[in-house]
Amino acid sequence: MIEAPLILIVAIIVIALIFDFTNGFHDSANSISTVVSTKVLSPRNAVVFAAFFNFLAAFGFGVAVANTIANIVELNVVAAVIIPYIILAALTGAISWNLITWYFGLPTSSSHALIGGLAGAGISAAGLVAIKWATVGQVALFMVLSPMIGLTCGFLFMAAILWITRKASKPTAEGYFKRLQLCSAAAYSFSHGTNDAQKTMGIIVPLLFSIGYYSASADTSHLPVPYWVIIICYTTIALGTLAGGWRIVRTMGYKITKLRPVHGFAAETAGAATILGASAAGIPVSTTHVICSSIMGVGTTMGASTVKWGVARSIVIAWVLTIPISALIGYSAFQAIRLVIGS
């Protein structure tokens, strides 16, 4: 393949940032819809609140998730000249799957779509040896484990709150939990930033490697993430939240969620704890799946019949389909790129 021109590298970085932007656009509602529904914050103020904590995550939680994403493709196996094309094909796979699932209304994970796209494009470029399968296996394992952890944490946390507040008057407890929701929503928005913004960093780092940004002696398994990349990725996800997330929050806050403040506090806290733990371990997870499962865990304390288990079935379908189909699209996209520009 011919060497990718600098303008193409810049264009791919822009596409990766668009991916980051839409992540913030769609996922802001997960953390603050309950704050809106209980009228603790207005929709617009809630979105500003979420965006601030998305960005704040840039200053103090490391880049372990970014390193994981950056190492799905073995950078010391594939030729540097084809890395930009692998990234472009991977983004094509991820974005295509996101659009397909959006059209059919299937809840899915942009994170897993990105990982599948990387795996498919890498295999298309250099065969099975181009993929670090231990990393892919770890991600696949936590596709199942993280929602289960969120479900369990949501149930246990809600049960503990019910026991602690069993003698408190309902109006007094409601007043406290309305205020505590600000803390839980902040924690969840922060955790969302720590995990999801880093995924875009993990896409940009291999691009920088391909153009010689790092020294020849650099350890490809632990390439440092430049500070400017960290800031631009966190800024982009926060801007995505600000740009259009308020409309989604408004819909969720007023038309869908029926949770009381105590339930919102428990679900957000359980979800934040799960995601922060995953981020510290360098494991990319679906923040959407985690918050959904945390809400289900909270709901089971009111009886299993109160939970819409159809949502759980849809999430399972997404688990099964996301990585293989996005990988297939990523594989096909790289082959198409190869035909266009020559091998």
Side-chain angles (χ1 to χ4, degrees):
M1 277 192 170
I2 61 173
E3 184 175 351
L6 182 59
I7 191 170
L8 178 60
I9 302 294
V10 173
I12 297 171
I13 291 175
V14 170
I15 294 170
L17 291 174
I18 290 171
F19 185 83
D20 195 26
F21 182 91
T22 57
N23 196 317
F25 185 96
H26 286 288
D27 286 2
S28 61
N30 294 341
S31 60
I32 51 181
S33 59
T34 55
V35 180
V36 174
S37 68
T38 53
K39 296 182 172 59
V40 174
L41 291 174
S42 68
R44 287 191 181 276
N45 287 341
V47 169
V48 173
F49 181 86
F52 172 76
F53 283 100
N54 272 177
F55 180 75
L56 191 64
F59 304 98
F61 218 82
V63 291
V65 173
N67 286 330
T68 298
I69 296 293
N71 278 283
I72 288 175
V73 174
E74 293 274 18
L75 299 181
N76 59 346
V77 171
V78 300
V81 69
I82 68 172
I83 290 174
Y85 301 108
I86 291 174
I87 300 299
L88 179 59
L91 287 168
T92 301
I95 293 171
S96 297
W97 179 239
N98 283 348
L99 291 174
I100 292 168
T101 52
W102 168 80
Y103 180 80
F104 287 104
L106 181 67
T108 189
S109 167
S110 298
S111 309
H112 297 151
L114 182 61
I115 291 161
L118 280 168
I123 293 170
S124 183
L128 296 176
V129 295
I131 305 302
K132 187 173 286 188
W133 292 106
T135 300
V136 175
Q138 181 189 56
V139 172
L141 175 64
F142 274 85
M143 283 176 64
V144 178
L145 287 184
S146 59
M148 292 175 63
I149 294 169
L151 182 78
T152 303
C153 288
F155 176 84
L156 293 176
F157 198 72
M158 188 65 210
I161 290 174
L162 291 173
W163 185 83
I164 292 169
T165 61
R166 66 192 184 283
K167 295 181 180 178
S169 68
K170 185 175 179 179
T172 301
E174 288 283 288
Y176 278 117
F177 281 111
K178 274 192 174 185
R179 290 189 288 272
L180 284 170
Q181 271 192 290
L182 290 173
C183 299
S184 62
Y188 190 82
S189 294
F190 182 89
S191 71
H192 174 238
T194 64
N195 208 275
D196 281 6
Q198 288 194 52
K199 294 159 189 170
T200 305
M201 298 178 210
I203 284 292
I204 294 175
V205 164
L207 288 172
L208 298 179
F209 173 81
S210 73
I211 59 173
Y213 185 91
Y214 300 97
S215 68
S217 60
D219 180 3
T220 56
S221 63
H222 290 90
L223 293 173
V225 182
Y227 190 66
W228 66 267
V229 172
I230 295 173
I231 294 299
I232 198 171
C233 288
Y234 277 107
T235 299
T236 301
I237 200 169
L239 288 174
T241 299
L242 283 173
W246 73 273
R247 298 184 65 181
I248 302 171
V249 171
R250 190 171 186 175
T251 298
M252 290 186 70
Y254 292 133
K255 298 180 181 179
I256 298 176
T257 183
K258 301 293 184 183
L259 298 178
R260 288 168 35 219
V262 62
H263 302 129
F265 171 75
E268 289 159 358
T269 304
T274 303
I275 295 167
L276 288 173
S279 298
I283 301 167
V285 296
S286 168
T287 55
T288 301
H289 290 181
V290 169
I291 193 61
C292 286
S293 62
S294 297
I295 290 171
M296 290 175 189
V298 168
T300 55
T301 63
M302 298 179 283
S305 61
T306 64
V307 178
K308 295 180 179 179
W309 295 106
V311 175
R313 286 194 296 271
S314 296
I315 291 174
V316 170
I317 291 172
W319 287 345
V320 173
L321 296 179
T322 296
I323 286 184
I325 293 185
S326 56
L328 180 61
I329 298 172
Y331 183 99
S332 302
F334 186 86
Q335 290 298 319
I337 292 169
R338 174 173 276 163
L339 287 173
V340 171
I341 66 174
S343 57

